[in-house]
Amino acid sequence: MSSDDYEKMCSLENLRRAYRWTQSNPEASYKGYFRDAYTAYAASSDNNLRRLRKHLIRRAYEPGHASKVYLPKASGILRPYTLLTVNDQIVYQACINVVAERLKARVRGRYLRATFGHLYAGKSSRFFYLKWQTGYRAYSNAVVDYVKRGFSYVANFDLTAFYDSIDHNVLKYFLKELRLDDDLIDFLLGCLRTWTSSTWTNLSNVIYHGHGIPQGPLASGLLAEVVLKHIDDRGSRAGGTRYLRYVDDIKLLAKSENILRHRLVALDLASKEIGLFPQSSKVNIRKVSDPLEEIKTVSRPPEPAVAPAPNQPKIRVRLLELTRRGEVKSVNSTRFKYLLARAQPHNSLNERLIKVLKSQPAFSSQIASYFSRYEKLPKKAAEAVLEYLQGDEIYHAVHSAILFAVLDNMRDPQKSRCIDFCYRRLQSPKKGLPQPQPTYRAALIAWVLNNDRLTYAELERLLADEIDWWVKKDALKYLRKDQYGAASYETLLNEVIRKSGAEPARVGALKIVDDNVGVHNPYRDANESARLLLFAAGKVRHIGVPESMVGTVLSYVLDKKLPAFDWRKLLGARHETAESIAFTVKRYFESDINGCIVTLDSLVDLLWEAIFSIELPGKGYGKYGAMLKHPTLIAKYPKAAQGLYDLHQLRLQSVTAHPRNSKTGLATRRLKHHDYYNIKPLVRDAVEEIILNVTI
């Protein structure tokens, strides 16, 4: 059989699209786990993607093991969360990109009519899915409309542990129904086999149970749609009823209870045919008189955290009302999250929130975020947090969230006691308790490293014994150059880039670049991912040196191939500094657009200084902003002067440059993608004018 689909998946265009969409995952918590990894990958993304493509084409790609996190649900049981390496995320997304095109052709007639969640936006879109707000609004409107039209009997149909229950043989059957090539299907299922086989301890003695898809990655939502299509097919044939689905939340509406029961039984059988089971406690039939009340039962993405609202006393009063008994009723959970995201820390809330944390650990991320807003944690709150951490270890993910939240704001003596606790827990696991999960181990390591509690020998042994790539990667964030001396730091980082997997090696290589650490010979012993990053930064020369990183990066971030130009000659002694800044611009371009704009301004500052010394030799350069208005330079470089001036003004609006605007006194902000897209044409014209007009 032809393998056109596999070749489409391997195409560089598709891999680049997958890489872009991987970082656009709307779930901030998942992106947060990988922020440092995305930054390291971005520094040499072109080389990384080309290398990845080469491995895929040669059928030499092997998926890595998944790091597992177990988050508490409202019921108290655990929801598995799968952390894939950046390469695995890209490969997974690249596969699903091909699946998405095939699926959309079959089901797009149902978009915003019967199905409302995980709607594929198309390959030309900046984002993989249509905005969830669009789907949720249409879903809510449909519910209201049908109830008003007399479909007043409503039933929810909820599947138990849907993602975890998807059978791989069933999935294969439905993928074949889409007429996908066997090569792509077998490759995808092989990856799923690896990613779903990890045990609690992530050891090599894993068990393959033949079902489940990873929760967390963006791609999983659409892969689930392949299976849910079977349920949609059965539901849409229902005469006398209306079928609506938002992700895996299904509503059936009818004008009589009897018809509704018939359709519920039909859906029940349809789901059990493919090994899925409804959650009986959530399946119910009711008559609805107020459609607006029914909307409240529609599940939706969590409310985003925003800046605190001005009326803090009202927020505190409402939060205290919602948590009067030390717990939050399910009907108030969304409201609780919404208010807590806006609440400034206050003593009156602390004790109550600790009680909620103990009784409802599913709110741990929101409560942890609240405690992290303290500049310094009050003594009473610190004692309560410490008591909680030293109590029963049921939910490791909760303990890790709290530890990270108070890492930088706990004061002595509670801080010292917390350090001691983390050190003991890391060195001597409690009897009868399982090995700490990856996020918990990472939090323990962060505390002892951040507070200089580990000896160099202990750290070296800890990293050598650690079996989980995610923990190694995360631990490197808290390692400082001054902790054990420059020589030991250099030795440790070189050990990491040689003896660790791709992800820790890449992060270790980035620290080598940032801290200007030497790379030990022979270079070829380093992990390939690390070598690519070190080469992009000019730290190693094993595959030749590009003429200049400056031109390469400017072409990349300005999205235009620039004419050949001798950047080394223009910049002279400034070239090495400019290359270092260019490397940082490239790194930020794909991970932090605010940082990209700020560092790009620094790079063109060096260019303008070089031009100034050529056009006005012997004169002092002065301040950059003033030099952009020099009449001699404006006369020769009008576009460059204006474009670089506008870029500089934009940079001054950033919170990175100033906390407040010097003219208005208003707080500044982080720059966004639209700011960059607005300024990019001006900077592009500026650089092109410099290349055409400067004489060197």
Side-chain angles (χ1 to χ4, degrees):
M1 181 177 281
S2 166
S3 57
D4 288 346
D5 290 330
Y6 187 85
E7 290 172 7
K8 286 179 186 175
M9 185 272 291
C10 296
S11 71
L12 194 58
E13 179 189 7
N14 186 46
L15 290 173
R16 284 171 173 161
R17 193 184 306 124
Y19 173 51
R20 183 175 73 249
W21 282 341
T22 295
Q23 297 178 88
S24 76
N25 190 336
E27 191 174 358
S29 61
Y30 196 79
K31 285 196 292 189
Y33 285 112
F34 293 95
R35 207 165 298 283
D36 52 334
Y38 287 148
T39 302
Y41 199 95
S44 56
S45 61
D46 279 352
N47 287 335
N48 283 322
L49 291 173
R50 291 180 187 280
R51 166 179 165 265
L52 179 59
R53 181 174 182 270
K54 184 169 52 176
H55 286 189
L56 289 167
I57 289 174
R58 292 177 178 176
R59 309 297 176 105
Y61 183 79
E62 293 185 6
H65 90 269
S67 189
K68 293 289 185 131
V69 181
Y70 295 88
L71 305 174
K73 299 172 69 172
S75 62
I77 62 173
L78 300 173
R79 182 197 307 275
Y81 212 55
T82 305
L83 305 180
L84 304 179
T85 67
V86 176
N87 265 345
D88 282 347
Q89 288 184 60
I90 294 169
V91 169
Y92 187 22
Q93 185 66 50
C95 291
I96 300 307
N97 289 353
V98 180
V99 175
E101 290 292 322
R102 202 67 55 85
L103 181 66
K104 186 180 180 182
R106 301 280 190 96
V107 302
R108 68 177 135 192
R110 296 174 184 166
Y111 280 11
L112 302 178
R113 294 179 182 176
T115 59
F116 301 87
H118 290 155
L119 307 180
Y120 176 54
K123 64 171 64 178
S124 61
S125 173
R126 182 180 164 193
F127 299 102
F128 186 58
Y129 295 125
L130 296 177
K131 289 183 177 180
W132 72 263
Q133 294 93 332
T134 303
Y136 177 72
R137 194 179 301 114
Y139 187 21
S140 303
N141 292 340
V143 172
V144 172
D145 181 55
Y146 285 134
V147 172
K148 286 182 177 179
R149 286 163 54 185
F151 292 85
S152 55
Y153 288 90
V154 181
N156 286 346
F157 188 85
D158 193 50
L159 296 167
T160 301
F162 172 57
Y163 275 50
D164 302 328
S165 303
I166 295 174
D167 186 273
H168 290 175
N169 289 323
V170 171
L171 181 60
K172 184 175 183 177
Y173 174 83
F174 288 130
L175 289 170
K176 282 181 174 290
E177 268 200 341
L178 296 177
R179 299 189 180 278
L180 290 159
D181 295 344
D182 286 347
D183 278 359
L184 180 65
I185 294 173
D186 292 342
F187 175 77
L188 176 58
L189 289 172
C191 291
L192 291 177
R193 178 187 181 99
T194 299
W195 298 332
T196 59
S197 294
S198 296
T199 65
W200 176 282
T201 55
N202 289 303
L203 296 173
S204 57
N205 56 333
V206 296
I207 301 171
Y208 176 60
H209 40 64
H211 59 81
I213 60 176
Q215 293 195 54
L218 184 72
S220 288
L222 194 131
L223 188 58
E225 291 290 311
V226 173
V227 178
L228 286 168
K229 178 181 173 294
H230 172 77
I231 307 288
D232 295 344
D233 289 343
R234 298 297 181 90
S236 61
R237 298 174 192 164
T241 61
R242 296 295 182 267
Y243 173 91
L244 304 173
R245 179 174 63 79
Y246 184 86
V247 191
D248 61 341
D249 185 349
I250 298 170
K251 280 190 186 295
L252 286 173
L253 300 97
K255 293 183 178 181
S256 76
E257 184 176 350
N258 193 45
I259 294 174
L260 199 56
R261 289 192 182 278
H262 277 283
R263 300 317 311 165
L264 272 177
V265 170
L267 277 188
D268 185 24
L269 292 173
S271 61
K272 287 174 178 172
E273 284 174 359
I274 56 175
L276 301 174
F277 295 88
Q279 194 166 341
S280 57
S281 61
K282 292 187 178 181
V283 177
N284 58 80
I285 297 176
R286 59 202 176 277
K287 187 170 184 180
V288 176
S289 55
D290 184 359
L292 296 177
E293 283 296 316
E294 181 60 25
I295 294 175
K296 294 180 180 180
T297 68
V298 177
S299 62
R300 59 183 183 265
E303 299 285 349
V306 298
N311 199 336
Q312 290 297 315
K314 281 189 177 180
I315 289 177
R316 286 196 294 273
V317 168
R318 184 60 177 138
L319 282 170
L320 289 169
E321 288 175 355
L322 294 175
T323 58
R324 185 176 288 118
R325 298 182 179 179
E327 60 183 30
V328 181
K329 293 181 179 179
S330 58
V331 295
N332 295 325
S333 62
T334 300
R335 185 65 178 165
F336 172 73
K337 293 175 185 178
Y338 180 86
L339 291 169
L340 192 59
R342 287 156 172 76
Q344 291 177 342
H346 195 272
N347 285 335
S348 64
L349 295 173
N350 296 338
E351 186 179 353
R352 195 71 61 82
L353 290 176
I354 290 291
K355 287 182 179 178
V356 173
L357 184 66
K358 292 177 179 178
S359 63
Q360 295 172 288
F363 292 123
S364 59
S365 61
Q366 291 82 18
I367 295 172
S369 176
Y370 165 86
F371 281 120
S372 70
R373 291 174 218 148
Y374 271 110
E375 186 176 347
K376 288 296 180 183
L377 202 62
K379 181 180 177 181
K380 198 171 179 180
E383 284 289 347
V385 167
L386 195 58
E387 182 188 358
Y388 176 78
L389 292 170
Q390 293 174 330
D392 293 337
E393 290 184 10
I394 302 174
Y395 305 108
H396 287 183
V398 177
H399 277 59
S400 64
I402 298 298
L403 278 171
F404 277 123
V406 300
L407 179 61
D408 296 314
N409 63 10
M410 191 179 282
R411 63 183 96 200
D412 282 327
Q414 291 81 15
K415 181 180 179 179
S416 298
R417 287 161 54 198
C418 195
I419 296 168
D420 290 341
F421 162 74
C422 292
Y423 181 81
R424 290 195 307 272
R425 186 67 181 92
L426 196 61
Q427 298 290 341
S428 308
K430 290 183 181 179
K431 290 184 179 180
L433 292 179
Q435 179 73 11
Q437 289 178 35
T439 50
Y440 191 22
R441 293 204 300 278
L444 295 170
I445 292 170
W447 261 88
V448 295
L449 258 182
N450 202 47
N451 294 284
D452 300 324
R453 182 61 191 272
L454 283 181
T455 66
Y456 180 75
E458 287 174 330
L459 175 62
E460 201 173 29
R461 186 172 63 253
L462 190 148
L463 290 177
D465 294 343
E466 179 56 58
I467 57 175
D468 195 284
W469 61 267
W470 193 89
V471 180
K472 283 187 178 181
K473 170 199 73 70
D474 209 53
L476 292 174
K477 291 194 297 187
Y478 302 96
L479 184 64
R480 305 189 310 276
K481 191 175 182 178
D482 62 346
Q483 277 179 298
Y484 306 106
S488 296
Y489 185 69
E490 179 178 301
T491 300
L492 189 65
L493 289 182
N494 275 273
E495 285 287 313
V496 168
I497 68 171
R498 283 166 166 79
K499 296 182 179 180
S500 300
E503 222 61 69
R506 195 181 288 118
V507 174
L510 186 59
K511 291 185 78 72
I512 285 175
V513 173
D514 285 348
D515 295 332
N516 196 24
V517 172
V519 184
H520 299 170
N521 276 313
Y523 304 141
R524 66 173 59 93
D525 289 348
N527 183 286
E528 190 175 5
S529 298
R531 287 204 311 273
L532 290 172
L533 189 148
L534 293 169
F535 167 70
K539 293 287 287 186
V540 301
R541 306 285 193 257
H542 64 289
I543 50 176
V545 185
E547 289 187 5
S548 173
M549 274 286 291
V550 176
T552 304
V553 168
L554 287 175
S555 292
Y556 185 76
V557 301
L558 298 177
D559 196 26
K560 184 161 184 187
K561 181 69 175 176
L562 297 174
F565 187 73
D566 193 343
W567 294 99
R568 291 178 184 274
K569 191 172 181 179
L570 171 65
L571 291 161
R574 307 177 190 88
H575 183 262
E576 188 174 339
T577 303
E579 275 205 316
S580 177
I581 296 173
F583 172 80
T584 307
V585 171
K586 171 69 165 59
R587 164 184 158 191
Y588 279 138
F589 181 67
E590 294 168 349
S591 58
D592 179 5
I593 204 67
N594 180 87
C596 174
I597 293 171
V598 171
T599 50
L600 181 61
D601 183 64
S602 300
L603 177 61
V604 297
D605 186 357
L606 286 178
L607 296 183
W608 198 248
E609 186 180 353
I611 292 167
F612 185 90
S613 63
I614 292 170
E615 304 293 346
L616 299 165
K619 294 196 175 185
Y621 183 58
K623 290 185 176 180
Y624 176 54
M627 295 303 101
L628 287 169
K629 295 182 177 181
H630 198 286
T632 302
L633 299 184
I634 290 176
K636 187 172 181 179
Y637 307 96
K639 289 184 179 178
Q642 186 60 53
L644 300 187
Y645 180 79
D646 290 347
L647 175 65
H648 186 60
Q649 292 304 305
L650 179 62
R651 185 237 183 192
L652 294 178
Q653 296 173 29
S654 166
V655 69
T656 308
H658 301 286
R660 294 192 176 275
N661 189 297
S662 58
K663 294 181 180 178
T664 65
L666 298 174
T668 50
R669 61 185 177 88
R670 288 188 66 81
L671 302 177
K672 306 289 186 179
H673 278 87
H674 67 83
D675 296 307
Y676 181 74
Y677 293 134
N678 291 337
I679 201 71
K680 183 169 71 172
L682 301 176
V683 180
R684 184 193 294 155
D685 291 345
V687 173
E688 287 183 322
E689 186 179 62
I690 290 170
I691 292 173
L692 291 173
N693 292 351
V694 71
T695 303
I696 53 176

